[in-house]
Amino acid sequence: MAHETEHTSNHPTFNQYVLIAVILFAITIVEFVLIWERAVIVDYLGASKVPLLIALSAVKFAIVIMYYMHLKFDPRFFGTVFIAGLVLAFLVGIALIGLFVGFNGDQRNYAEANAVPYVHGASESAEGDHESSTKTKDKTPAVAGPVAVVVSAVGETLTFDTNSFSANSGAEVTITFDNPSANNQHNLVIVQAGTKDAVAADGTAAGPTNDWVSPSDSRVIANTALINPGGSDEITFTAPTAGTYQFVCTFPGHNFTMFGDFIVN
């Protein structure tokens, strides 16, 4: 067909282009208002703001593809393939989000509730069973003066080379953390007892620019920087009041296996 006829039949009209631009602008304003703190709406949305924003973005994306890229004026088969792919992508995304949310469920609470703490002088048979399945790890004894501790990651296994270390309350504690891994980044964070998973979850939201640790987290006593493979870092802090604390790597996913006890006498 002639070029003019093809252009007229396979492209939106000028008025349609204007209408589409207005619709896209309106959706963008709605998206902005949903996350604008001064509009106060975001305070009431909670977790629902994420799927709302995704849905609005999907609508804009579809409009651009269907009209600005003329998919609406092509054979219906192509539009069906596009919409099917878009729906499939959303379903996969929802499934992935559900998978991560599932890690915050009862399994983690069950594991913490049923954990058996280390007790000095426990039966040798129990120790033998533990040592047969895992590498023996040293426990650093508490000392009266300043304490210097060296902790290292174990290769690529996402574990520390020690289960626990100790210090006296008020003592100056210096921890040198080595990361001999060839692939993984790690950090070492001292936290209140029983809070390692919650601290790690908030650290995931804080991101790598904050070393996977939420700034000003009151549950965090001290932490190293995020250490690249082959690197090392050192932290010095005053041991808090007597009790059992935890040390953990808060890199996303590492907190499930990479943790231990910090015992303050």
Side-chain angles (χ1 to χ4, degrees):
M1 63 180 69
H3 175 74
E4 290 298 328
T5 304
E6 181 182 4
H7 187 277
T8 302
S9 61
N10 291 289
H11 291 73
T13 65
F14 175 80
N15 291 336
Q16 286 178 319
Y17 274 125
V18 172
L19 178 60
I20 294 167
V22 171
I23 292 173
L24 293 174
F25 179 76
I27 294 175
T28 303
I29 292 298
V30 172
E31 290 175 324
F32 175 76
V33 171
L34 287 179
I35 61 173
W36 191 30
E37 293 183 357
R38 295 179 63 178
V40 192
I41 298 176
V42 68
D43 296 333
Y44 298 96
L45 291 177
S48 66
K49 67 176 178 291
V50 175
L52 280 174
L53 292 172
I54 292 176
L56 290 171
S57 296
V59 171
K60 291 200 301 182
F61 180 65
I63 290 175
V64 170
I65 294 294
M66 298 300 287
Y67 287 93
Y68 282 174
M69 300 188 71
H70 313 143
L71 189 59
K72 179 176 173 58
F73 304 94
D74 288 335
R76 185 178 297 274
F77 171 77
F78 298 115
T80 302
V81 171
F82 166 72
I83 296 298
L86 187 63
V87 171
L88 179 61
F90 271 99
L91 291 177
V92 172
I94 292 171
L96 185 60
I97 293 173
L99 180 64
F100 279 101
V101 171
F103 282 120
N104 294 321
D106 295 335
Q107 296 89 344
R108 178 183 298 179
N109 296 332
Y110 177 86
E112 289 186 349
N114 292 274
V116 179
Y118 172 79
V119 178
H120 183 67
S123 65
E124 294 295 326
S125 61
E127 278 190 24
D129 292 340
H130 176 72
E131 291 175 357
S132 65
S133 59
T134 59
K135 180 181 178 181
T136 302
K137 299 180 180 181
D138 297 328
K139 180 180 178 182
T140 305
V143 296
V147 177
V149 180
V150 178
V151 179
S152 176
V154 180
E156 313 300 325
T157 63
L158 302 186
T159 57
F160 290 115
D161 66 347
T162 182
N163 278 328
S164 63
F165 56 87
S166 304
N168 287 336
S169 179
E172 181 182 90
V173 181
T174 299
I175 302 175
T176 301
F177 178 46
D178 298 324
N179 179 18
S181 169
N183 303 295
N184 297 308
Q185 292 180 315
H186 295 301
N187 64 7
L188 187 148
V189 185
I190 307 293
V191 301
Q192 299 287 341
T195 66
K196 69 177 184 68
D197 292 330
V199 169
D202 291 343
T204 299
T209 56
N210 291 304
D211 300 319
W212 300 112
V213 178
S214 179
S216 303
D217 191 329
S218 60
R219 298 163 297 187
V220 174
I221 297 169
N223 65 277
T224 68
L226 181 63
I227 305 174
N228 290 322
S232 179
D233 193 22
E234 182 178 282
I235 53 172
T236 300
F237 62 96
T238 301
T241 56
T244 299
Y245 301 83
Q246 293 176 300
F247 61 96
V248 61
C249 174
T250 59
F251 189 98
H254 292 190
N255 56 294
F256 298 114
T257 58
M258 205 166 180
F259 63 91
D261 291 330
F262 171 43
I263 302 170
V264 180
N265 302 302

